[in-house]
């Protein structure tokens, strides 16, 4: 194999490692926020909530303020969901 082929393979492996690190970091952050909110988690560390707006099970990432990634500040059900998360009474699965 020539030097260009080895360099290309090295760069490809480096990118793959970077992608894996970013995913692991994101999963750790998601799990940490879900654990702080004392919510059940899926295998990727996302909080397992029942959406009040659409009445469906969702695995979601919580932001620093405990809001699900699907949060819509203009919707009444979404605001109620965040209040329930903060009070620890949100419906989970």
């Amino acid at each position: 194999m020539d030097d260009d082929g080895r360099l290309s393979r090295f760069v490809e492996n480096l990118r793959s490692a970077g992608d894996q690190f970013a995913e692991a970091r994101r999963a750790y952050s998601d799990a940490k926020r879900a654990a702080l909110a004392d919510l059940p988690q899926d295998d990727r560390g996302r909080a397992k909530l029942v959406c009040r707006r659409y009445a469906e099970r969702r695995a979601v990432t919580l932001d620093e303020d405990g809001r699900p990634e699907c949060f819509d500040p203009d919707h009444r059900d979404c605001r109620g969901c965040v209040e329930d998360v903060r009070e620890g009474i949100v419906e989970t699965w």
Side-chain angles (χ1 to χ4, degrees):
M1 182 175 276
D2 63 356
D3 288 340
D4 288 339
R6 280 184 264 188
L7 181 59
S8 294
R9 191 174 54 193
F10 174 75
V11 170
E12 185 179 313
N13 289 339
L14 192 59
R15 284 185 183 144
S16 177
D19 292 343
Q20 290 174 5
F21 176 76
E23 178 60 31
R25 188 174 182 183
R26 186 172 29 257
Y28 172 79
S29 180
D30 291 348
K32 183 177 175 184
R33 282 196 285 282
L36 288 174
D38 197 27
L39 299 172
Q41 304 167 30
D42 71 356
D43 59 343
R44 293 180 50 201
R46 299 174 299 181
K48 294 166 57 172
L49 305 177
V50 176
C51 174
R52 288 176 61 165
R53 184 174 183 176
Y54 297 106
E56 65 186 17
R57 292 177 177 183
R58 291 189 177 182
V60 295
T61 298
L62 300 178
D63 69 11
E64 297 296 324
D65 296 322
R67 296 178 301 211
E69 62 193 355
C70 54
F71 176 70
D72 177 357
D74 297 324
H75 198 278
R76 178 183 70 204
D77 288 336
C78 291
R79 290 190 307 267
C81 177
V82 170
E83 291 171 11
D84 288 351
V85 167
R86 290 181 181 148
E87 294 174 16
I89 58 172
V90 69
E91 187 175 350
T92 61
W93 53 278

